[in-house]
Amino acid sequence: MTIDDAPRDALRGGPRELLRWVATGAAVSRADLSRLSGLSPSTVSQRVEALISQGLLEETGAGRSRGGRRPRQLAVPTGGAVVGAIDLGAHHARVGALDLSGRVVRARTLPVRIEDGPESVLGALLAEVATLVGSDPAASADGSAPGALRGVGIGIPGPVQHATGRIVSPSRMPGWNGFDVAAFCAGRVDVPVIVDNDANLMALGAHRTAHSELDHAVYIKAGTGIGSGVISSGRLHRGAQGSAGDISHCRVVADPAPPCTCGNAGCLEAVASGAALVTALREQGVPVSDLTGVIRLIDDGDRQATALARQAGRAVGEILAVVVNFFNPQVVAIGGRLADCEPLLASMRATLYERCLPLATQTLLIERVAAGQDVGITGAAHLVIDHVVAPA
Amino acid sequence: MTIDDAPRDALRGGPRELLRWVATGAAVSRADLSRLSGLSPSTVSQRVEALISQGLLEETGAGRSRGGRRPRQLAVPTGGAVVGAIDLGAHHARVGALDLSGRVVRARTLPVRIEDGPESVLGALLAEVATLVGSDPAASADGSAPGALRGVGIGIPGPVQHATGRIVSPSRMPGWNGFDVAAFCAGRVDVPVIVDNDANLMALGAHRTAHSELDHAVYIKAGTGIGSGVISSGRLHRGAQGSAGDISHCRVVADPAPPCTCGNAGCLEAVASGAALVTALREQGVPVSDLTGVIRLIDDGDRQATALARQAGRAVGEILAVVVNFFNPQVVAIGGRLADCEPLLASMRATLYERCLPLATQTLLIERVAAGQDVGITGAAHLVIDHVVAPA
DNA sequence: TCACTTCCTTCGACTACAAAACTAAGTCAG
DNA sequence: CTGACTTAGTTTTGTAGTCGAAGGAAGTGA
């Protein structure tokens, strides 16, 4: 006798899921939703009506007939910049205004100086969010409720206790330790603010846009720093302390083992992060100023830079091999600025295939995160949307 | 604003949970259940009645008053050996008959020879299950329905595709590759048979008996082989292919790197498993015949054996460090025959604390699996019980 | 003996969902 | 162009699960 697993999601057919189906284009009519969700047509009608009255859904005329009455098309109100999102990085921040479907309405990249401290940095970014949301033509045109800001999601490049919104001993954010981001922001905007780690947000964004049908996924963010986000049973896995996915200080074999900002040596971050590559190249006498320079060198086929990228790829692969064996995900995707670095990717892949159980890699997808520079804010927006369309 | 996470379990107050509360002794009366589950007294009464009529619960007279009417005590029908369980090991199998609360009613350890092949081994073990269940005094006394066998759970010391019940390229089970355990057993017993990896069953058993209030846990089984079981959000995490937790072939630093049965060298299993310790000691000229001998040597303080145990502990700790950083569990517990080996445990602990993020180890429990030799069959029984008390 | 507590059940109401019947609006064959 | 059929969506009605209030059962303690 064969036992199939418990249903993937007890929230089956919840308003959130209906909304997502419409947002992703999987469903266009009430009938579609009924088929997809397994709910009866009457129930779907009822729910849809509720969503419409909340301004979360709208009717957009009749669709094409498939041999019978034409469907009344549904859509998530688009163009309404109602969710703010900030994806804070080491040197830049991506700030955006997104609509309820998680689509980017308007976004900008701003230079930031983390070392200026949280008040200054976050203050400026929140102001930019307000500008982006406020400059919404739809809102200024009709000024109705659907155009109003519903929440702000913020991604931080360091450890965040999601539950409290507090930052805990970040390695590259001087002056931010213990800062309560959520509380600070709550004083500046009067909508819910959700704070999470940047890798988690990338994971959420990438999963929702590219792998929403997969249950278990791991996303690596390799930029200036290195981190990962975990999707388990379709949901973000944050772990006991909210530090799940933080593989930056796992030890890897490297000779000599480069010292890490954390005080140890041979950490993944000290070998495979963008910052590490910059440092290593400089020590070899190569004059690079930042990660962009390193990537250019690699693209140009520079021998030293390429060798370092390979080493970085092996290091990532080494850690990822343990993760894949242990967690057995359906997909491993790599994002961040180093994701476009072919030598790194290639040696990561090779190491992974070499060191994993055949069973674990047999159907494993190893990909690049597709969604580009907006994955982070997309993930942040999804977090907010999930919270706005609250219960189940 | 602080956002609390989604409710841990949408199945809140399901019949399964009620049953578990009674089984664990957390609840004795309907009133207890109402308080624990948050359901209204009327709903609880209704559910309890249903469970009683299914024979899954029974009333056992009145309890002690707490200042008012005396509670009508509830209990899971005990003494009824209604679930069969087999925990197959490399040289021995633990076979048991358990009641609906997951308590062991009767159990035996049998020697097995894996190399005799699945038909022979499983045939004998199933026969033993029948004997243990059949010799139930309660069943023969009143012969009523509650005494009837409801299902059999089987743990296999190798990779199992839980969904199909098939064994996939096990490293130490010649003749078992591709064997469909579930189908074979289905032909011999007329109740559901559930097959899973032995480490998964240990994890389930240990979690249910000792850590049921924790969401995320990792259990290491270190015996002849080495494996792990993962609890994520309170549920067994099996991963995409059902191979999650199989860390036996993760590479660790070891010099020289001992060859592994899988063809590679330096696998965790080749360094830290019981089989590896036996092999290594023999190569050093120490005459040991099996794992029991090794453990005796270690307990006696033998220098060579202890050194190997330390090395094994470091190797486990090394892998576990990555796992803890990545998964951020609330507890890591070690079971299996090597769990009682102090030097191994000590160096595992040390390595873990040295290599993990402080945030991840700050509140991390590192323990020995408490439940003893019956954890496996207990886990198997729980799997069956969960399936019998089917939906939510 | 009486007030009060605890335990549990009964009953009416509410909610979520579904099934069935129905309306609406189309296609297509003859 | 007409009538049979299809698809889409609504309305009505029914059912199952849950809760709250009320009350009965069975105790304690002043």
Side-chain angles (χ1 to χ4, degrees):
Chain A
M1 164 166 194
T2 297
I3 314 293
D4 49 1
D5 267 338
R8 158 176 174 174
D9 203 345
L11 313 173
R12 198 210 65 176
R16 209 135 84 186
E17 205 163 7
L18 295 188
L19 207 54
R20 206 173 298 156
W21 272 316
V22 174
T24 58
V28 167
S29 64
R30 291 165 176 78
D32 287 345
L33 285 175
S34 173
R35 279 186 291 265
L36 279 169
S37 66
L39 293 159
S40 73
S42 48
T43 306
V44 169
S45 266
Q46 210 172 277
R47 294 244 176 128
V48 166
E49 194 162 6
L51 288 170
I52 289 176
S53 77
Q54 287 175 56
L56 300 174
L57 219 49
E58 65 183 12
E59 287 197 0
T60 58
R64 177 177 227 81
S65 164
R66 294 196 303 176
R69 169 176 172 175
R70 288 187 312 208
R72 297 164 62 177
Q73 287 184 301
L74 298 172
V76 174
T78 173
V82 295
V83 177
I86 299 174
D87 184 16
L88 187 56
H91 307 298
H92 300 275
R94 184 79 178 163
V95 183
L98 298 88
D99 66 20
L100 279 171
S101 73
R103 256 191 293 272
V104 177
V105 176
R106 223 178 337 276
R108 286 193 57 191
T109 300
L110 300 179
V112 296
R113 293 195 313 179
I114 286 285
E115 60 275 19
D116 286 349
E119 282 93 350
S120 159
V121 169
L122 290 175
L125 294 176
L126 283 176
E128 181 64 24
V129 165
T131 309
L132 287 180
V133 172
S135 66
D136 181 13
S140 46
D142 66 17
S144 62
L149 184 67
R150 304 238 188 183
V152 178
I154 303 182
I156 303 284
V160 176
Q161 272 190 338
H162 169 80
T164 63
R166 199 180 286 277
I167 295 179
V168 197
S169 37
S171 63
R172 234 193 318 279
M173 303 175 69
W176 290 66
N177 187 20
F179 188 76
D180 190 333
V181 178
F184 173 80
C185 296
R188 314 246 154 171
V189 294
D190 55 353
V191 290
V193 175
I194 303 184
V195 187
D196 209 329
N197 174 270
D198 62 338
N200 280 348
L201 294 190
M202 188 187 87
L204 194 60
H207 182 254
R208 289 288 170 80
T209 50
H211 304 134
S212 55
E213 78 290 357
L214 301 182
D215 289 317
H216 312 301
V218 174
Y219 298 89
I220 305 290
K221 180 164 186 179
T224 302
I226 193 158
S228 76
V230 189
I231 301 285
S232 173
S233 299
R235 288 160 52 176
L236 200 52
H237 173 84
R238 293 199 177 82
Q241 305 290 316
S243 79
D246 194 337
I247 53 172
S248 47
H249 300 286
C250 288
R251 203 152 317 171
V252 295
V253 291
D255 192 34
C260 179
T261 52
C262 73
N264 280 323
C267 295
L268 180 62
E269 177 164 297
V271 174
S273 71
L277 294 183
V278 172
T279 307
L281 274 175
R282 277 196 198 146
E283 279 174 4
Q284 295 182 14
V286 182
V288 285
S289 60
D290 58 0
L291 184 51
T292 311
V294 175
I295 292 177
R296 198 173 312 129
L297 280 178
I298 295 172
D299 286 344
D300 290 347
D302 176 89
R303 203 177 45 78
Q304 285 168 298
T306 307
L308 282 173
R310 287 241 170 72
Q311 190 191 17
R314 270 194 303 276
V316 175
E318 205 177 295
I319 297 300
L320 222 40
V322 177
V323 165
V324 166
N325 279 335
F326 172 77
F327 191 67
N328 189 17
Q330 275 133 2
V331 61
V332 168
I334 180 164
R337 298 180 60 202
L338 282 174
D340 296 315
C341 174
E342 268 311 329
L344 190 151
L345 213 65
S347 52
M348 184 192 90
R349 272 203 151 88
T351 309
L352 214 42
Y353 280 119
E354 181 197 335
R355 299 221 176 167
C356 286
L357 275 193
L359 185 57
T361 49
Q362 185 176 292
T363 63
L364 177 69
L365 300 171
I366 305 178
E367 301 179 352
R368 212 182 304 251
V369 168
Q373 65 179 347
D374 287 333
V375 224
I377 56 174
T378 303
H382 275 284
L383 215 50
V384 172
I385 294 166
D386 284 358
H387 189 256
V388 167
V389 188
Chain B
M1 164 167 194
T2 297
I3 315 292
D4 49 2
D5 267 337
R8 160 175 175 175
D9 203 346
L11 313 173
R12 195 210 67 176
R16 209 136 82 188
E17 206 163 7
L18 295 189
L19 206 55
R20 207 172 297 154
W21 272 316
V22 175
T24 59
V28 168
S29 64
R30 292 164 176 79
D32 288 345
L33 286 174
S34 173
R35 278 187 292 266
L36 280 170
S37 67
L39 293 161
S40 72
S42 44
T43 306
V44 170
S45 266
Q46 210 172 279
R47 293 246 177 129
V48 167
E49 194 162 7
L51 287 170
I52 290 177
S53 77
Q54 287 175 56
L56 299 175
L57 219 50
E58 63 183 13
E59 286 195 1
T60 58
R64 177 177 226 80
S65 164
R66 295 196 301 174
R69 171 175 170 176
R70 287 187 313 206
R72 296 165 62 179
Q73 286 186 301
L74 299 172
V76 173
T78 174
V82 294
V83 176
I86 300 173
D87 184 15
L88 187 55
H91 306 298
H92 301 275
R94 183 81 178 162
V95 183
L98 298 88
D99 65 22
L100 279 171
S101 72
R103 255 191 295 272
V104 177
V105 176
R106 224 179 337 275
R108 285 194 58 191
T109 301
L110 301 178
V112 296
R113 293 194 314 177
I114 285 286
E115 61 274 19
D116 287 348
E119 281 93 350
S120 158
V121 170
L122 290 176
L125 294 177
L126 283 177
E128 182 63 24
V129 165
T131 308
L132 288 180
V133 172
S135 66
D136 180 13
S140 47
D142 65 19
S144 64
L149 185 66
R150 304 240 187 182
V152 178
I154 304 181
I156 303 283
V160 177
Q161 273 189 336
H162 169 79
T164 63
R166 199 180 286 277
I167 295 179
V168 197
S169 36
S171 63
R172 233 194 318 279
M173 302 173 70
W176 290 65
N177 187 20
F179 188 76
D180 190 333
V181 177
F184 173 81
C185 296
R188 315 247 155 170
V189 293
D190 55 354
V191 291
V193 175
I194 304 184
V195 186
D196 209 328
N197 173 273
D198 62 339
N200 280 348
L201 294 190
M202 187 188 85
L204 194 61
H207 183 254
R208 289 288 172 81
T209 49
H211 303 134
S212 55
E213 76 292 357
L214 301 181
D215 289 316
H216 312 301
V218 174
Y219 298 89
I220 305 290
K221 180 164 184 178
T224 303
I226 192 159
S228 77
V230 189
I231 301 286
S232 173
S233 298
R235 287 157 54 175
L236 200 53
H237 173 85
R238 293 199 176 83
Q241 305 290 318
S243 80
D246 194 337
I247 53 173
S248 48
H249 300 287
C250 288
R251 203 154 316 171
V252 295
V253 292
D255 191 36
C260 180
T261 51
C262 73
N264 281 321
C267 295
L268 180 62
E269 177 163 300
V271 175
S273 69
L277 294 183
V278 172
T279 308
L281 274 175
R282 276 198 197 145
E283 278 174 5
Q284 294 181 15
V286 182
V288 287
S289 59
D290 58 1
L291 184 50
T292 310
V294 175
I295 292 177
R296 197 173 313 130
L297 281 177
I298 296 173
D299 286 344
D300 291 347
D302 177 90
R303 203 178 45 75
Q304 285 169 299
T306 306
L308 282 173
R310 288 244 168 71
Q311 189 191 16
R314 272 195 302 277
V316 174
E318 204 177 297
I319 296 301
L320 221 40
V322 177
V323 164
V324 166
N325 279 335
F326 171 79
F327 190 67
N328 189 16
Q330 276 134 359
V331 60
V332 168
I334 181 163
R337 298 180 60 202
L338 282 174
D340 297 315
C341 174
E342 268 312 328
L344 189 152
L345 213 64
S347 52
M348 184 192 90
R349 271 201 150 89
T351 310
L352 213 42
Y353 280 119
E354 181 198 335
R355 300 222 174 167
C356 286
L357 275 193
L359 186 56
T361 49
Q362 185 176 294
T363 63
L364 177 70
L365 300 170
I366 305 178
E367 302 180 349
R368 214 182 302 251
V369 168
Q373 65 179 347
D374 287 333
V375 223
I377 57 174
T378 303
H382 275 283
L383 214 52
V384 171
I385 293 165
D386 283 357
H387 188 258
V388 167
V389 188

